PDB file of all heavy atoms in Angstrom:
ATOM      1  N   VAL B   4      -8.687  49.447  64.048  1.00 93.00           N
ATOM      2  CA  VAL B   4      -8.628  49.743  62.537  1.00 93.00           C
ATOM      3  C   VAL B   4      -8.342  51.147  62.452  1.00 93.00           C
ATOM      4  O   VAL B   4      -8.966  51.990  63.051  1.00 93.00           O
ATOM      5  CB  VAL B   4      -9.956  49.307  61.839  1.00 93.00           C
ATOM      6  CG1 VAL B   4      -9.867  49.722  60.433  1.00 93.00           C
ATOM      7  CG2 VAL B   4     -10.166  47.826  62.003  1.00 93.00           C
ATOM      8  N   SER B   5      -7.315  51.458  61.668  1.00 94.00           N
ATOM      9  CA  SER B   5      -6.960  52.862  61.388  1.00 94.00           C
ATOM     10  C   SER B   5      -7.148  53.227  60.018  1.00 94.00           C
ATOM     11  O   SER B   5      -6.817  52.567  59.074  1.00 94.00           O
ATOM     12  CB  SER B   5      -5.376  52.970  61.797  1.00 94.00           C
ATOM     13  OG  SER B   5      -4.936  54.306  61.589  1.00 94.00           O
ATOM     14  N   GLN B   6      -7.643  54.450  59.864  1.00 96.00           N
ATOM     15  CA  GLN B   6      -7.938  55.059  58.543  1.00 96.00           C
ATOM     16  C   GLN B   6      -7.258  56.347  58.310  1.00 96.00           C
ATOM     17  O   GLN B   6      -7.113  57.145  59.308  1.00 96.00           O
ATOM     18  CB  GLN B   6      -9.428  55.190  58.439  1.00 96.00           C
ATOM     19  CG  GLN B   6      -9.942  55.388  57.043  1.00 96.00           C
ATOM     20  CD  GLN B   6     -11.421  55.257  56.944  1.00 96.00           C
ATOM     21  OE1 GLN B   6     -12.089  54.735  57.856  1.00 96.00           O
ATOM     22  NE2 GLN B   6     -12.035  56.000  56.012  1.00 96.00           N
ATOM     23  N   HIS B   7      -6.693  56.615  57.181  1.00 96.00           N
ATOM     24  CA  HIS B   7      -5.942  57.871  56.836  1.00 96.00           C
ATOM     25  C   HIS B   7      -6.193  58.244  55.432  1.00 96.00           C
ATOM     26  O   HIS B   7      -6.147  57.413  54.532  1.00 96.00           O
ATOM     27  CB  HIS B   7      -4.493  57.572  57.158  1.00 96.00           C
ATOM     28  CG  HIS B   7      -3.552  58.732  56.867  1.00 96.00           C
ATOM     29  ND1 HIS B   7      -3.461  59.725  57.792  1.00 96.00           N
ATOM     30  CD2 HIS B   7      -2.861  59.037  55.766  1.00 96.00           C
ATOM     31  CE1 HIS B   7      -2.543  60.616  57.252  1.00 96.00           C
ATOM     32  NE2 HIS B   7      -2.184  60.250  56.061  1.00 96.00           N
ATOM     33  N   PRO B   8      -6.307  59.464  55.096  1.00 96.00           N
ATOM     34  CA  PRO B   8      -6.335  60.639  56.074  1.00 96.00           C
ATOM     35  C   PRO B   8      -7.699  60.734  56.681  1.00 96.00           C
ATOM     36  O   PRO B   8      -8.752  60.219  56.132  1.00 96.00           O
ATOM     37  CB  PRO B   8      -6.053  61.765  55.214  1.00 96.00           C
ATOM     38  CG  PRO B   8      -6.658  61.413  53.830  1.00 96.00           C
ATOM     39  CD  PRO B   8      -6.446  59.977  53.679  1.00 96.00           C
ATOM     40  N   SER B   9      -7.815  61.534  57.688  1.00 94.00           N
ATOM     41  CA  SER B   9      -9.164  61.780  58.355  1.00 94.00           C
ATOM     42  C   SER B   9      -9.951  62.824  57.628  1.00 94.00           C
ATOM     43  O   SER B   9     -11.191  62.832  57.579  1.00 94.00           O
ATOM     44  CB  SER B   9      -8.923  62.191  59.822  1.00 94.00           C
ATOM     45  OG  SER B   9      -8.112  63.310  59.886  1.00 94.00           O
ATOM     46  N   ARG B  10      -9.197  63.748  57.092  1.00 96.00           N
ATOM     47  CA  ARG B  10      -9.837  64.807  56.288  1.00 96.00           C
ATOM     48  C   ARG B  10      -8.990  65.089  54.969  1.00 96.00           C
ATOM     49  O   ARG B  10      -7.713  65.106  55.082  1.00 96.00           O
ATOM     50  CB  ARG B  10      -9.943  66.101  57.042  1.00 96.00           C
ATOM     51  CG  ARG B  10     -10.927  66.048  58.209  1.00 96.00           C
ATOM     52  CD  ARG B  10     -10.940  67.396  58.969  1.00 96.00           C
ATOM     53  NE  ARG B  10     -11.843  67.303  60.083  1.00 96.00           N
ATOM     54  CZ  ARG B  10     -13.087  67.655  60.123  1.00 96.00           C
ATOM     55  NH1 ARG B  10     -13.664  67.923  58.963  1.00 96.00           N
ATOM     56  NH2 ARG B  10     -13.814  67.546  61.151  1.00 96.00           N
ATOM     57  N   VAL B  11      -9.700  65.273  53.918  1.00 96.00           N
ATOM     58  CA  VAL B  11      -8.931  65.601  52.671  1.00 96.00           C
ATOM     59  C   VAL B  11      -9.894  66.528  51.857  1.00 96.00           C
ATOM     60  O   VAL B  11     -11.087  66.262  51.669  1.00 96.00           O
ATOM     61  CB  VAL B  11      -8.508  64.336  51.926  1.00 96.00           C
ATOM     62  CG1 VAL B  11      -9.731  63.506  51.606  1.00 96.00           C
ATOM     63  CG2 VAL B  11      -7.786  64.728  50.672  1.00 96.00           C
ATOM     64  N   ILE B  12      -9.238  67.595  51.390  1.00 96.00           N
ATOM     65  CA  ILE B  12      -9.886  68.496  50.467  1.00 96.00           C
ATOM     66  C   ILE B  12      -9.076  68.496  49.080  1.00 96.00           C
ATOM     67  O   ILE B  12      -7.923  68.525  49.142  1.00 96.00           O
ATOM     68  CB  ILE B  12      -9.933  69.961  51.022  1.00 96.00           C
ATOM     69  CG1 ILE B  12     -10.644  69.918  52.345  1.00 96.00           C
ATOM     70  CG2 ILE B  12     -10.540  70.923  50.043  1.00 96.00           C
ATOM     71  CD1 ILE B  12     -10.503  71.240  53.113  1.00 96.00           C
ATOM     72  N   CYS B  13      -9.777  68.319  48.051  1.00 95.00           N
ATOM     73  CA  CYS B  13      -9.115  68.211  46.721  1.00 95.00           C
ATOM     74  C   CYS B  13      -9.933  68.957  45.722  1.00 95.00           C
ATOM     75  O   CYS B  13     -11.143  69.330  45.904  1.00 95.00           O
ATOM     76  CB  CYS B  13      -8.963  66.860  46.322  1.00 95.00           C
ATOM     77  SG  CYS B  13     -10.448  65.964  45.920  1.00 95.00           S
ATOM     78  N   LYS B  14      -9.291  69.239  44.662  1.00 96.00           N
ATOM     79  CA  LYS B  14      -9.919  69.919  43.469  1.00 96.00           C
ATOM     80  C   LYS B  14     -10.682  68.958  42.603  1.00 96.00           C
ATOM     81  O   LYS B  14     -10.275  67.754  42.601  1.00 96.00           O
ATOM     82  CB  LYS B  14      -8.904  70.699  42.702  1.00 96.00           C
ATOM     83  CG  LYS B  14      -8.336  71.860  43.370  1.00 96.00           C
ATOM     84  CD  LYS B  14      -7.324  72.655  42.377  1.00 96.00           C
ATOM     85  CE  LYS B  14      -6.702  73.848  43.198  1.00 96.00           C
ATOM     86  NZ  LYS B  14      -5.770  74.550  42.289  1.00 96.00           N
ATOM     87  N   SER B  15     -11.723  69.381  41.971  1.00 97.00           N
ATOM     88  CA  SER B  15     -12.466  68.560  41.048  1.00 97.00           C
ATOM     89  C   SER B  15     -11.512  67.980  39.997  1.00 97.00           C
ATOM     90  O   SER B  15     -10.711  68.758  39.404  1.00 97.00           O
ATOM     91  CB  SER B  15     -13.590  69.295  40.496  1.00 97.00           C
ATOM     92  OG  SER B  15     -14.437  68.495  39.725  1.00 97.00           O
ATOM     93  N   GLY B  16     -11.695  66.729  39.706  1.00 96.00           N
ATOM     94  CA  GLY B  16     -10.847  66.075  38.650  1.00 96.00           C
ATOM     95  C   GLY B  16      -9.675  65.330  39.242  1.00 96.00           C
ATOM     96  O   GLY B  16      -9.019  64.591  38.467  1.00 96.00           O
ATOM     97  N   THR B  17      -9.296  65.578  40.437  1.00 96.00           N
ATOM     98  CA  THR B  17      -8.114  64.855  41.048  1.00 96.00           C
ATOM     99  C   THR B  17      -8.528  63.602  41.638  1.00 96.00           C
ATOM    100  O   THR B  17      -9.747  63.274  41.858  1.00 96.00           O
ATOM    101  CB  THR B  17      -7.295  65.731  42.066  1.00 96.00           C
ATOM    102  OG1 THR B  17      -8.283  66.000  43.141  1.00 96.00           O
ATOM    103  CG2 THR B  17      -6.837  67.081  41.433  1.00 96.00           C
ATOM    104  N   SER B  18      -7.584  62.734  41.935  1.00 97.00           N
ATOM    105  CA  SER B  18      -7.762  61.411  42.594  1.00 97.00           C
ATOM    106  C   SER B  18      -7.350  61.464  44.022  1.00 97.00           C
ATOM    107  O   SER B  18      -6.382  62.049  44.325  1.00 97.00           O
ATOM    108  CB  SER B  18      -7.154  60.344  41.836  1.00 97.00           C
ATOM    109  OG  SER B  18      -7.647  60.137  40.581  1.00 97.00           O
ATOM    110  N   VAL B  19      -8.062  60.732  44.850  1.00 97.00           N
ATOM    111  CA  VAL B  19      -7.790  60.774  46.329  1.00 97.00           C
ATOM    112  C   VAL B  19      -7.691  59.307  46.794  1.00 97.00           C
ATOM    113  O   VAL B  19      -8.563  58.520  46.492  1.00 97.00           O
ATOM    114  CB  VAL B  19      -8.827  61.545  47.091  1.00 97.00           C
ATOM    115  CG1 VAL B  19      -8.631  61.339  48.586  1.00 97.00           C
ATOM    116  CG2 VAL B  19      -8.849  62.906  46.645  1.00 97.00           C
ATOM    117  N   LYS B  20      -6.654  59.005  47.577  1.00 97.00           N
ATOM    118  CA  LYS B  20      -6.433  57.666  48.085  1.00 97.00           C
ATOM    119  C   LYS B  20      -6.694  57.666  49.533  1.00 97.00           C
ATOM    120  O   LYS B  20      -6.033  58.496  50.297  1.00 97.00           O
ATOM    121  CB  LYS B  20      -5.114  57.139  47.770  1.00 97.00           C
ATOM    122  CG  LYS B  20      -4.819  55.756  48.291  1.00 97.00           C
ATOM    123  CD  LYS B  20      -3.394  55.195  48.085  1.00 97.00           C
ATOM    124  CE  LYS B  20      -3.145  54.781  46.622  1.00 97.00           C
ATOM    125  NZ  LYS B  20      -1.814  54.137  46.559  1.00 97.00           N
ATOM    126  N   ILE B  21      -7.489  56.727  50.083  1.00 97.00           N
ATOM    127  CA  ILE B  21      -7.759  56.564  51.492  1.00 97.00           C
ATOM    128  C   ILE B  21      -7.227  55.212  51.894  1.00 97.00           C
ATOM    129  O   ILE B  21      -7.534  54.229  51.238  1.00 97.00           O
ATOM    130  CB  ILE B  21      -9.232  56.752  51.778  1.00 97.00           C
ATOM    131  CG1 ILE B  21      -9.708  58.109  51.359  1.00 97.00           C
ATOM    132  CG2 ILE B  21      -9.493  56.491  53.291  1.00 97.00           C
ATOM    133  CD1 ILE B  21     -11.307  58.214  51.333  1.00 97.00           C
ATOM    134  N   GLU B  22      -6.505  55.194  52.982  1.00 97.00           N
ATOM    135  CA  GLU B  22      -5.935  53.852  53.461  1.00 97.00           C
ATOM    136  C   GLU B  22      -6.760  53.362  54.730  1.00 97.00           C
ATOM    137  O   GLU B  22      -7.118  54.123  55.523  1.00 97.00           O
ATOM    138  CB  GLU B  22      -4.517  54.055  53.872  1.00 97.00           C
ATOM    139  CG  GLU B  22      -3.588  54.381  52.663  1.00 97.00           C
ATOM    140  CD  GLU B  22      -2.125  54.423  53.039  1.00 97.00           C
ATOM    141  OE1 GLU B  22      -1.810  54.437  54.306  1.00 97.00           O
ATOM    142  OE2 GLU B  22      -1.278  54.417  52.205  1.00 97.00           O
ATOM    143  N   CYS B  23      -6.849  52.088  54.766  1.00 96.00           N
ATOM    144  CA  CYS B  23      -7.511  51.393  55.936  1.00 96.00           C
ATOM    145  C   CYS B  23      -6.512  50.342  56.336  1.00 96.00           C
ATOM    146  O   CYS B  23      -6.214  49.402  55.544  1.00 96.00           O
ATOM    147  CB  CYS B  23      -8.791  50.890  55.525  1.00 96.00           C
ATOM    148  SG  CYS B  23      -9.697  50.041  56.870  1.00 96.00           S
ATOM    149  N   ARG B  24      -6.144  50.318  57.552  1.00 95.00           N
ATOM    150  CA  ARG B  24      -5.146  49.377  58.194  1.00 95.00           C
ATOM    151  C   ARG B  24      -5.760  48.674  59.391  1.00 95.00           C
ATOM    152  O   ARG B  24      -6.286  49.281  60.265  1.00 95.00           O
ATOM    153  CB  ARG B  24      -3.939  50.074  58.575  1.00 95.00           C
ATOM    154  CG  ARG B  24      -3.040  50.611  57.362  1.00 95.00           C
ATOM    155  CD  ARG B  24      -1.737  51.258  57.877  1.00 95.00           C
ATOM    156  NE  ARG B  24      -1.076  51.928  56.751  1.00 95.00           N
ATOM    157  CZ  ARG B  24      -0.299  51.254  55.922  1.00 95.00           C
ATOM    158  NH1 ARG B  24       0.010  49.974  56.108  1.00 95.00           N
ATOM    159  NH2 ARG B  24       0.356  51.918  55.047  1.00 95.00           N
ATOM    160  N   SER B  25      -5.621  47.373  59.417  1.00 92.00           N
ATOM    161  CA  SER B  25      -5.843  46.666  60.670  1.00 92.00           C
ATOM    162  C   SER B  25      -4.519  46.615  61.458  1.00 92.00           C
ATOM    163  O   SER B  25      -3.492  46.129  60.868  1.00 92.00           O
ATOM    164  CB  SER B  25      -6.414  45.246  60.321  1.00 92.00           C
ATOM    165  OG  SER B  25      -5.546  44.529  59.569  1.00 92.00           O
ATOM    166  N   LEU B  26      -4.504  47.159  62.632  1.00 91.00           N
ATOM    167  CA  LEU B  26      -3.244  47.327  63.415  1.00 91.00           C
ATOM    168  C   LEU B  26      -2.779  46.123  64.130  1.00 91.00           C
ATOM    169  O   LEU B  26      -1.586  45.948  64.310  1.00 91.00           O
ATOM    170  CB  LEU B  26      -3.391  48.583  64.264  1.00 91.00           C
ATOM    171  CG  LEU B  26      -3.604  49.918  63.571  1.00 91.00           C
ATOM    172  CD1 LEU B  26      -3.495  51.013  64.517  1.00 91.00           C
ATOM    173  CD2 LEU B  26      -2.533  50.149  62.369  1.00 91.00           C
ATOM    174  N   ASP B  27      -3.717  45.360  64.633  1.00 86.00           N
ATOM    175  CA  ASP B  27      -3.245  44.238  65.476  1.00 86.00           C
ATOM    176  C   ASP B  27      -3.884  42.930  65.164  1.00 86.00           C
ATOM    177  O   ASP B  27      -3.931  42.038  65.907  1.00 86.00           O
ATOM    178  CB  ASP B  27      -3.523  44.665  66.980  1.00 86.00           C
ATOM    179  CG  ASP B  27      -5.038  45.050  67.218  1.00 86.00           C
ATOM    180  OD1 ASP B  27      -5.702  45.114  66.173  1.00 86.00           O
ATOM    181  OD2 ASP B  27      -5.423  45.313  68.322  1.00 86.00           O
ATOM    182  N   PHE B  28      -4.398  42.847  63.940  1.00 85.00           N
ATOM    183  CA  PHE B  28      -4.898  41.590  63.431  1.00 85.00           C
ATOM    184  C   PHE B  28      -4.887  41.580  61.893  1.00 85.00           C
ATOM    185  O   PHE B  28      -4.720  42.597  61.277  1.00 85.00           O
ATOM    186  CB  PHE B  28      -6.329  41.297  63.909  1.00 85.00           C
ATOM    187  CG  PHE B  28      -7.377  42.236  63.420  1.00 85.00           C
ATOM    188  CD1 PHE B  28      -8.251  41.908  62.403  1.00 85.00           C
ATOM    189  CD2 PHE B  28      -7.485  43.524  63.920  1.00 85.00           C
ATOM    190  CE1 PHE B  28      -9.247  42.715  61.863  1.00 85.00           C
ATOM    191  CE2 PHE B  28      -8.468  44.429  63.395  1.00 85.00           C
ATOM    192  CZ  PHE B  28      -9.272  44.050  62.417  1.00 85.00           C
ATOM    193  N   GLN B  29      -4.942  40.385  61.374  1.00 86.00           N
ATOM    194  CA  GLN B  29      -4.949  40.299  59.901  1.00 86.00           C
ATOM    195  C   GLN B  29      -6.350  40.194  59.411  1.00 86.00           C
ATOM    196  O   GLN B  29      -7.254  39.548  59.985  1.00 86.00           O
ATOM    197  CB  GLN B  29      -4.212  39.027  59.432  1.00 86.00           C
ATOM    198  CG  GLN B  29      -2.672  39.164  59.807  1.00 86.00           C
ATOM    199  CD  GLN B  29      -1.924  37.988  59.298  1.00 86.00           C
ATOM    200  OE1 GLN B  29      -2.404  36.792  59.228  1.00 86.00           O
ATOM    201  NE2 GLN B  29      -0.685  38.161  58.964  1.00 86.00           N
ATOM    202  N   ALA B  30      -6.693  40.892  58.369  1.00 85.00           N
ATOM    203  CA  ALA B  30      -8.023  40.958  57.864  1.00 85.00           C
ATOM    204  C   ALA B  30      -8.080  40.593  56.370  1.00 85.00           C
ATOM    205  O   ALA B  30      -7.536  41.318  55.531  1.00 85.00           O
ATOM    206  CB  ALA B  30      -8.583  42.376  57.998  1.00 85.00           C
ATOM    207  N   THR B  31      -8.579  39.399  56.092  1.00 82.00           N
ATOM    208  CA  THR B  31      -8.633  38.966  54.690  1.00 82.00           C
ATOM    209  C   THR B  31      -9.662  39.732  53.909  1.00 82.00           C
ATOM    210  O   THR B  31      -9.633  39.849  52.769  1.00 82.00           O
ATOM    211  CB  THR B  31      -8.890  37.500  54.561  1.00 82.00           C
ATOM    212  OG1 THR B  31     -10.014  37.144  55.271  1.00 82.00           O
ATOM    213  CG2 THR B  31      -7.824  36.634  55.029  1.00 82.00           C
TER     214      THR B  31
END
Side-chain angles (χ1 to χ4, degrees):
Chain B
V4 174
S5 178
Q6 192 171 335
H7 177 81
S9 58
R10 292 179 182 271
V11 57
I12 301 172
C13 69
K14 292 182 179 180
S15 186
T17 60
S18 294
V19 174
K20 180 185 285 188
I21 302 170
E22 294 185 348
C23 180
R24 294 181 185 273
S25 57
L26 298 185
D27 52 359
F28 66 101
Q29 294 182 330
T31 55

